[in-house]
Amino acid sequence: MGILSILTALAAVTITFLGSTAADVPPAAAAAGSPSPWATGRGAGGWDEAYTKASEFVGQLTLVEKVNLTTGTGWEADVCIGMTGSVPRLGFAGFCLQDGPLGVRYTTKNSAFPAGINLGATFSRRLMRLRGEAMGEEFRGKGIDVQLGPAAGPLGRVPQGGRNWEGFSPDPYLTGIGMAETIQGIQSRGVIACAKHYILNEQEHYRGSISVKIDDRTMHELYLWPFADAVRAGVGSVMCSYNKIHGDYSCENSWTTNYLLKNELNFQGFVMSDWGAQHTTLGSALSGLDMAMPGDGGAPPYRSLWGGALTEAILSGTVPQWRLDDMVVRIMAAYFKVHTGAFASRPAPNFSAWTNASVGPLHPSSNSTWTVVNSFVDVQSTHAALIREIGAKSTVLLKNTARALPLHSLLKSLAVIGRDAQNIPGGPNACSERACINGTVAMGYGSGTAEFPYLVSPATALQLRAAADGAAFTNAVANWDLEAARGAARGKDVAIVFATATAGENFVVVDGNAGDRNNLTLWDNGDALIRAVAGVNNNTVVVLHTAGPVLVEEISKNPNVTAILWAGFPGQESGNSLVDVLYGVVNPQGRSPFTWGKDVKDYGAELLFQAPDPRKPEQSFDEGVFIDYRHFQKAGIEPTYEFGFGLSYTEFDYSGLKIVVQNSTAGATVPSQVVAHGITEPAPTYGTVNKNVTANVAPEGFKKLVPYVYPWLSSANVSLARTGSSSPSTATNGSAQPVLPAGGAPGGNPGLYEVLYTISAKIKNIGKVAGTEIPQLYVQLGGEENPWGVLRGFDEVVLEPGETKTVTFELTRRDISNWNTTSQNWEIGNKEKVVFIGQSSSRIRLNSTLPVLPGLLWRSYD
Ligand SMILES: *[C@@H]1O[C@H](CO)[C@@H](O)[C@H](O)[C@H]1NC(C)=O
Ligand SMILES: *[C@@H]1O[C@H](CO)[C@@H](O)[C@H](O)[C@H]1NC(C)=O
Ligand SMILES: *[C@@H]1O[C@H](CO)[C@@H](O)[C@H](O)[C@H]1NC(C)=O
Ligand SMILES: *[C@@H]1O[C@H](CO)[C@@H](O)[C@H](O)[C@H]1NC(C)=O
Ligand SMILES: *[C@@H]1O[C@H](CO)[C@@H](O)[C@H](O)[C@H]1NC(C)=O
Ligand SMILES: *[C@@H]1O[C@H](CO)[C@@H](O)[C@H](O)[C@H]1NC(C)=O
Ligand SMILES: *[C@@H]1O[C@H](CO)[C@@H](O)[C@H](O)[C@H]1NC(C)=O
Ligand SMILES: *[C@@H]1O[C@H](CO)[C@@H](O)[C@H](O)[C@H]1NC(C)=O
Ligand SMILES: *[C@@H]1O[C@H](CO)[C@@H](O)[C@H](O)[C@H]1NC(C)=O
Ligand SMILES: *[C@@H]1O[C@H](CO)[C@@H](O)[C@H](O)[C@H]1NC(C)=O
Ligand SMILES: *[C@@H]1O[C@H](CO)[C@@H](O)[C@H](O)[C@H]1NC(C)=O
C-alpha cells in the first residue's frame, strides 16, 4: 500500500461518534464532534504544579519527540509489558507500563497481594491504602512508571464476569473508595496508577466486539461512579477498554472519553488504550486517546496506528497540534505529579517481563541488544505481614453454628480435605497465568495475576498449627474419590473441606471456562465433596476460594456444616491468613462485597454467552442500576447471604442514631455551581511543529530495529496534502469551550462532595472477645426508580468487650442525588429519603428519615 492510499484509508475512517441515535442518551449527540477537552491543570487534585512542569517540558520537544511519548514501541519490543518511545536528546527514557492490579506481573521476588475483591471484603480504607502503598513500592522498586491497576471495570454486572475479582465489588460506592485509596497509595510511592477498564467491559465473551447500550442515568449512578472517585483521587492514567459503547469502541468514543471523562469528570491525566483496543489513527486521537498500547498493530510502513502515522496526521493537519500537545502534556503531568519530593528521581527498569534469565535481549521482538536485563531486585520488603493481615481480615464468616469456630488448641484431630487446600504440584506458578486448579487457588487467571514468590497453602499452615497443638492431622486431596474423603473426615473433631471456583481473562480457557464462569456452582466436584464429608462428620467447616458468589444454599442448610468461610483470592499468605481466622487470632471482620443468590437467574442481568449474530454482538444493560443487591431487593428475592453480610466471634449492639444537617445554606445557594459555569481558555500549544518533512524522518544512519515502532515519517517523499475533512470540523476546533454544569474539577463539580449531613451512631461490643464491626450506612433516595437502599457509608470499628464507640458518616450532595439526564446534572430528588444503619444490606439496626435541608425542599441545581 502506498503512502497516498494509507492517507486515503485513514481519511475514510469517519468519526462516527455514536452508532445509534439513542434518544435516551442526550449528551451523545453533543459529544459527537466536540473537541477533546485539553488539560488545564487547574482545580482540585494537585495538578497545578505538575501541569506547569509538563507544559515546560513539552514546549522543548520536537514533533517526533512528542509523538514518541504517545506511542508504544510494540509488543515485546522492550522489557516491560508496554513501553513508549523516549526522548534521547533530553535523556528522558520511555514510559514502562506493567500489569497488574494485585502486584507486579511477569517478574520474580515480588509479592502476590490479595485480589481486589478481597480488599472490597475488608471494607477497610486503611488496608486498601496500605496495599496500594506496598504495591507502589514494589512497582517502583522494579523501575516501573505505571502500574496497570486498580480496576473498577468490570464493576460486576453479572456474577460470572471473568475479571470481577480484579476489582472490589459490584457496589459502586465501595468500589469507588477502593479505587481512591489504592490510587493514592500507589501514587504516594512515585508510581502512576491506572484506573481500568474504562468502561462497561462487563464480560469476557465478545469483549473485543460487543456493543453495549446503556442509559445515561445508569452510566452515572453505577458504572461511572467509581471512576469519578478515581479521578478525584488524582489518578494519573485511565485505560479505555476493548468493548464498544453505543456502536463506538471505547478507545474511539467521544461520549465516554471526551464528554464524560475529560469534560464532566475533568480528568487531567492521560488515557491509554487497552492492549490492542485502539482501532483507528484519527478516530482515537480526536476522541481523546493519549497513549497507544502496545503501539504496534497498524499497516506498513508504520505497523502502528500512531507513531509515524500520527506524525503524518499532524503534518497534514488532520489532527491539530493542540491535540498532540494535550496528549503529551497529560502524560507528562501524570509523570510530574508522582515524581515529587523523595520520589523525584526515576530509576530505570531492572527486570524483563519476557525472561527470568539474567541476560536477555533489551528488545525481545527484534532479539537485539543482549545484556543483563534481570537484576532480580527483591522488592517484597515486609509486605508479607500486610498480605497476611488482609487475607485474614477479608475472610467472610458466613455461617458459624454450635460454636464451631474459633477452633482451639484442645482439638484432638482435624482433617483437611480437598485439592483447594493443597500445595500446587510443580510450585505455585506451575500453571502459566495461574490458569488451573491443581492446588489451592489464591488468585484468578489472566493478566490480572502476579507470580507468587511462595504460596502458603491451607494444608501446610493447618498442619503446622495442628502439630503445635499436638492434634492428629489428616490431609486428603480426594475431590473425586468420595470414599477417601469420607475416610479422612470420619471420626475427626473437625473436618475442614475446601472448594473453589476460579475465573479470569478470556485468552486462557480453564476447564471450558473462557474467562467468564460458565455457571455459579463449585468446580472440581466441590459440592459432592462437601456433601460427602458432611455426611460423615457433624462438624464440617467449609472454606471457599472463589472469584465471587457460588451457589451455597444447600451447604448453608446442611446441619453438619457448622461453619462456612469465604476466603476469596487471598494471595501468597493464604494458609496463614486462614489459620489466623479459624483459630481466632483474627476475629473475622470481612463482609461479603457481593450477594450470594440461590440461582444464577436471581441476579437478573445476564451474561451474553452466545450472540444471535456473533459478528455483531450487542447487549443492552436494561436492568439499569439494578444489579446485585439492588436487584435482589427490588425483585423481592431472598439471597442465601446478602451483600454486606459477615459474622464475627463477638456481637454488637447499635444505638443512638443522630443526624446533623451540616450546612443549612448549602441547599439554597449551591455554591459549587459557580465553579462549573463559564468557558475554558482556547487550547494551548507548546513549541512549534517543524513542517519540514526532512526534519521528521529518521536521522541519516539511524539503525531501526524491526519490528519496532518509531515516530518518524517513513520517507522524505511522504505526501502530506490534507486529504479532505475526515472528521466533523468541530472535533479539531481549539477555541474556548463551555464547561459542563456537572464538571469543573477532577471528579466533577466540587459541590457534589460537600457534606450535607453528618450521621452518627453508637456501636457496642456486647460479646466476650474483642472484635471489629463494619457498620454500614444505606440511603433510600425514594421512588420506583431508586433501589430500596444504596450503600453510602461504612467504617471499621475496633472494639474491646463492653466497649462503645461512636461512628460517624458524612453524606455528601452526590450521595443523595440522582442524575438528571435532561439538565445533565446531579439533582436531589423531591422524594423523602431514609437512612439505614446496619450490619449488612438487610440487617438494619437503626433508621430515620433524613431531615429536609432548609431552603432546599429536596431540590437543587434548578
Ligand atoms: C523514539 O524512541 C525510540 C525508542 O526509545 C528511540 O530509539 C528514538 O530515538 C526516539 N526518537 C526520537 C525522535 O527521539
Ligand atoms: C535496579 O537495580 C539496579 C542494580 O541492580 C539499580 O542500579 C537500579 O537503580 C535498580 N532500579 C530500581 C528501580 O531500583
Ligand atoms: C537471539 O540472539 C541471541 C544472541 O545474539 C542468539 O544466540 C539467538 O540465537 C537469537 N535467537 C533467535 C531466535 O534468533
Ligand atoms: C494440572 O493438572 C492437570 C490435570 O491433573 C494436568 O494435566 C496438568 O499437567 C497440571 N498442570 C501443571 C502445570 O502441573
Ligand atoms: C460448572 O463449571 C465447573 C467448572 O467448569 C464444572 O466443574 C461444573 O461441573 C459445572 N457445573 C455444572 C452444574 O455444570
Ligand atoms: C451428620 O453427621 C452424622 C455423623 O456425625 C451423620 O450420621 C448424619 O447422617 C449427618 N447428617 C447429614 C444431613 O449429612
Ligand atoms: C456430633 O456427633 C457426635 C458423635 O459423633 C456427638 O457427640 C455430638 O453431640 C454431635 N454434635 C452435634 C452438634 O450434633
Ligand atoms: C456551607 O455553604 C456555604 C454556602 O454554600 C459554603 O460557602 C460553605 O463552604 C459551606 N460549608 C461547609 C462546611 O460545607
Ligand atoms: C529541511 O530540513 C533539512 C534538514 O534538516 C534542511 O537541509 C533543508 O534545508 C530544510 N528545508 C527547508 C525548506 O527549510
Ligand atoms: C430534570 O431537569 C429538567 C430540566 O432542568 C427538569 O425540568 C426536570 O424536572 C428534572 N427532572 C427531575 C426528575 O427532577
Ligand atoms: C425503622 O425503625 C423502626 C423503629 O425505630 C422499626 O420499627 C422499623 O422496622 C425500622 N425499619 C427498618 C426498615 O428497619
Side-chain angles (χ1 to χ4, degrees), residues 337-359:
K337 190 168 193 295
V338 303
H339 287 292
T340 54
F343 302 102
S345 73
R346 189 200 191 196
N350 52 27
F351 76 103
S352 170
W354 314 113
T355 174
N356 280 339
S358 160
V359 170

Side-chain angles (χ1 to χ4, degrees), residues 699-722:
E700 222 162 306
F702 185 91
K703 280 187 72 185
K704 288 186 180 173
L705 299 171
V706 180
Y708 198 91
V709 175
Y710 293 100
W712 290 296
L713 297 175
S714 55
S715 92
N717 302 325
V718 173
S719 159
L720 296 167
R722 192 184 162 117

Side-chain angles (χ1 to χ4, degrees), residues 6-17 34 36 251-254 258 278-290 304-306 308-320 323 327 722-728 731-732:
I6 288 166
L7 281 177
T8 320
L10 294 179
V13 182
T14 352
I15 320 291
T16 48
F17 283 91
S34 63
S36 186
C251 297
E252 324 253 321
N253 197 304
S254 191
N258 286 342
Q278 180 195 29
H279 294 268
T280 64
T281 300
L282 304 181
S284 59
L286 297 178
S287 301
L289 186 71
D290 303 306
S304 172
L305 292 165
W306 281 5
L310 183 57
T311 301
E312 276 197 19
I314 299 290
L315 287 171
S316 68
T318 42
V319 172
R323 181 70 269 272
M327 295 174 189
R722 192 184 162 117
T723 45
S725 173
S726 57
S727 62
T732 55

